[in-house]
Amino acid sequence: MNKREIFNFYCKFLLGLNLIKLKLTNSRAPLMANLIITNRCNLECFYCYVDVFNPDRQHLNLQEKRVINRDNLIELVDTLYNRGCRLIVLLGGEPLMFKEIGEIIRYIKSKKMVCEIITNGYLAERYLDELSLCDSVCVSLDGEKEGNDLNRGEGSFQKAVDAILLLLKHNIPVRVKAVLTHNNKNSLEFLSSFAKEKGVLLTVSVAATYDDRDYHQKDKWLEEYSKKHFFNDMLKRKKEGVPIGYSTAALDYMKNWPYDEDFIVKNDKSNHTKDFDLLRCKRKDNSLFVDADGEMYPCAFKWGKDSKNVFEDGFDAAWEQMPKHDCYSCGSLPDADITMMLNFKLENIINAVKFYTIKK
């Protein structure tokens, strides 16, 4: 191991210690933070939950709210660290379009925190030195060229593949994140073969829809038939040795989920009418998202709803608003997987470690 790998291993060790502390004290603390540092993006993925291109948000015309101010971001990292956060995921938009991205990554790592960045790969070569400091670089790739480019924009397939190969060449931990729609519904075979061949972790989810959005590909969501077979297919591939990033337990749980994937069970379970043992989501207790405008949310399903602003209302007010979201459990695979990890399920902890480990 080189010095960078030893240091990042130590950061992961500190993350693990804080996870143990949360388990022992059963306390509310933001162990994990997803920071959308900019809503700007050089692509236009039609399913984007960050809602970058929604005309209803453009009327605000607040350019300063499309990118978190550098000083505010540094202060937010300090606050998160002081509250117990030890893992920050930088995303967007396209986070590499944030002009001080290198400074932010270095600052996060100076506090001995685990840092992951999620990128479309277009600017990977320009920021290779900065990316080499990260514990993981997640590259968005939705499958073969045709389906990927229909989802994400012409030319995005080759840019993503080139970025993955470049990162691997420089021994930088990589994982692949894919979103399934009608456009790329047959891409699991390609993605599985690619992940296995290149030795990168693969996470795949079904695109979520939002009733208040205006989508430019209104008829390209994944069909219900395909959704029902998605989890069985993922479980089969995981058992065949494909490096699927989700645990078997989470995939089994979601395979048996009795409602639509976007159905949210209320806190009082008054709308829970099926014979199914629910997993209480821990997003509101130990994880958070902060949008580029400062609004804090527990997850993508709660985007744009009942939030407070970390810069206007203060971090504590925004954090204390989180438990007020009326949700107990939902049909989100990533959220179920993270909840199991936060509940100290061994398989999920092992999977979490793999997120930030180079596969040899």
Side-chain angles (χ1 to χ4, degrees):
M1 295 177 72
N2 59 34
K3 288 183 179 179
R4 183 203 78 201
E5 291 170 334
I6 293 171
F7 175 73
N8 283 348
F9 178 82
Y10 178 62
C11 294
K12 289 187 275 286
F13 173 74
L14 296 178
L15 171 64
L17 287 181
N18 270 37
L19 175 61
I20 293 171
K21 180 180 177 181
L22 286 179
K23 179 64 177 177
L24 293 176
T25 61
N26 195 31
S27 57
R28 280 196 74 240
L31 180 71
M32 308 164 54
N34 301 272
L35 305 184
I36 296 170
I37 58 177
T38 176
N39 277 350
R40 292 174 183 156
C41 192
N42 48 0
L43 294 181
E44 192 171 345
C45 309
F46 82 90
Y47 50 71
C48 180
Y49 71 82
V50 180
D51 207 13
V52 174
F53 301 98
N54 188 344
D56 290 340
R57 294 189 70 183
Q58 300 311 312
H59 79 279
L60 296 173
N61 198 27
L62 297 173
Q63 288 299 317
E64 71 274 12
K65 284 196 172 185
R66 293 177 59 81
V67 182
I68 296 181
N69 174 277
R70 176 259 181 208
D71 292 338
N72 284 343
L73 184 52
I74 292 290
E75 183 180 353
L76 178 57
V77 170
D78 284 337
T79 300
L80 286 165
Y81 180 84
N82 292 335
R83 298 299 193 281
C85 180
R86 293 299 180 267
L87 165 60
I88 290 182
V89 181
L90 301 173
L91 62 162
E94 172 48 52
L96 293 182
M97 295 183 74
F98 187 85
K99 64 180 181 179
E100 297 99 352
I101 186 63
E103 180 183 355
I104 297 305
I105 292 172
R106 289 184 178 90
Y107 190 73
I108 292 169
K109 294 307 301 178
S110 75
K111 301 186 80 67
K112 301 181 179 63
M113 303 169 81
V114 175
C115 180
E116 180 179 37
I117 191 166
I118 300 178
T119 176
N120 58 38
Y122 269 71
L123 301 174
E125 186 171 9
R126 182 186 302 179
Y127 290 101
L128 190 61
D129 289 344
E130 289 80 1
L131 294 175
S132 70
L133 302 174
C134 295
D135 297 84
S136 172
V137 179
C138 176
V139 181
S140 298
L141 176 67
D142 283 355
E144 293 131 314
K145 182 179 185 301
E146 181 180 2
N148 177 91
D149 286 5
L150 284 171
N151 273 356
R152 304 179 54 76
E154 187 175 353
S156 59
F157 170 83
Q158 196 57 54
K159 287 289 187 180
V161 171
D162 290 347
I164 292 166
L165 297 180
L166 177 67
L167 294 163
L168 290 174
K169 178 182 176 181
H170 290 270
N171 207 33
I172 298 172
V174 183
R175 73 176 174 99
V176 169
K177 177 178 179 290
V179 178
L180 287 188
T181 69
H182 174 80
N183 293 326
N184 64 327
K185 64 180 180 180
N186 297 318
S187 289
L188 276 181
E189 181 62 39
F190 167 82
L191 289 165
S192 298
S193 298
F194 183 86
K196 202 168 184 178
E197 177 188 344
K198 304 303 179 186
V200 297
L201 207 64
L202 173 65
T203 52
V204 186
S205 57
V206 175
T209 60
Y210 302 83
D211 293 337
D212 59 347
R213 305 285 179 86
D214 182 20
Y215 295 98
H216 63 271
Q217 293 191 42
K218 299 179 185 297
D219 60 342
K220 298 302 181 183
W221 303 109
L222 193 65
E223 297 87 345
E224 200 60 40
Y225 176 84
S226 298
K227 291 178 185 177
K228 290 178 180 178
H229 288 77
F230 167 68
F231 298 108
N232 281 329
D233 200 352
M234 291 283 281
L235 280 164
K236 175 176 175 290
R237 294 176 188 279
K238 188 174 180 71
K239 291 173 182 176
E240 291 172 349
V242 176
I244 302 292
Y246 300 120
S247 66
T248 301
L251 288 166
D252 271 327
Y253 177 83
M254 290 313 310
K255 182 184 71 171
N256 296 309
W257 176 254
Y259 305 106
D260 293 338
E261 77 281 356
D262 58 350
F263 183 85
I264 297 175
V265 177
K266 296 179 179 180
N267 279 324
D268 63 5
K269 303 184 191 177
S270 59
N271 62 339
H272 178 39
T273 60
K274 308 289 186 180
D275 183 16
F276 182 75
D277 189 13
L278 292 171
L279 177 69
R280 179 185 172 274
C281 182
K282 297 202 70 174
R283 279 289 202 183
K284 295 183 290 185
D285 297 330
N286 303 125
S287 174
L288 60 86
F289 283 77
V290 175
D291 199 355
D293 58 7
E295 297 296 311
M296 184 188 291
Y297 307 107
C299 67
F301 277 157
K302 288 295 181 177
W303 216 253
K305 299 179 176 67
D306 303 322
S307 62
K308 286 196 174 182
N309 194 289
V310 296
F311 305 128
E312 297 172 4
D313 304 308
F315 181 88
D316 290 337
W319 178 243
E320 291 309 315
Q321 174 69 14
M322 296 268 277
K324 298 177 184 178
H325 286 274
D326 190 13
C327 53
Y328 183 90
S329 188
C330 74
S332 167
L333 172 60
D335 294 335
D337 200 65
I338 287 172
T339 291
M340 290 180 179
M341 186 272 291
L342 292 169
N343 282 329
F344 229 70
K345 301 292 185 183
L346 180 59
E347 184 195 1
N348 298 81
I349 292 174
I350 292 172
N351 265 20
V353 170
K354 289 179 180 178
F355 264 54
Y356 310 108
T357 305
I358 300 173
K359 182 177 173 60
K360 300 293 186 181

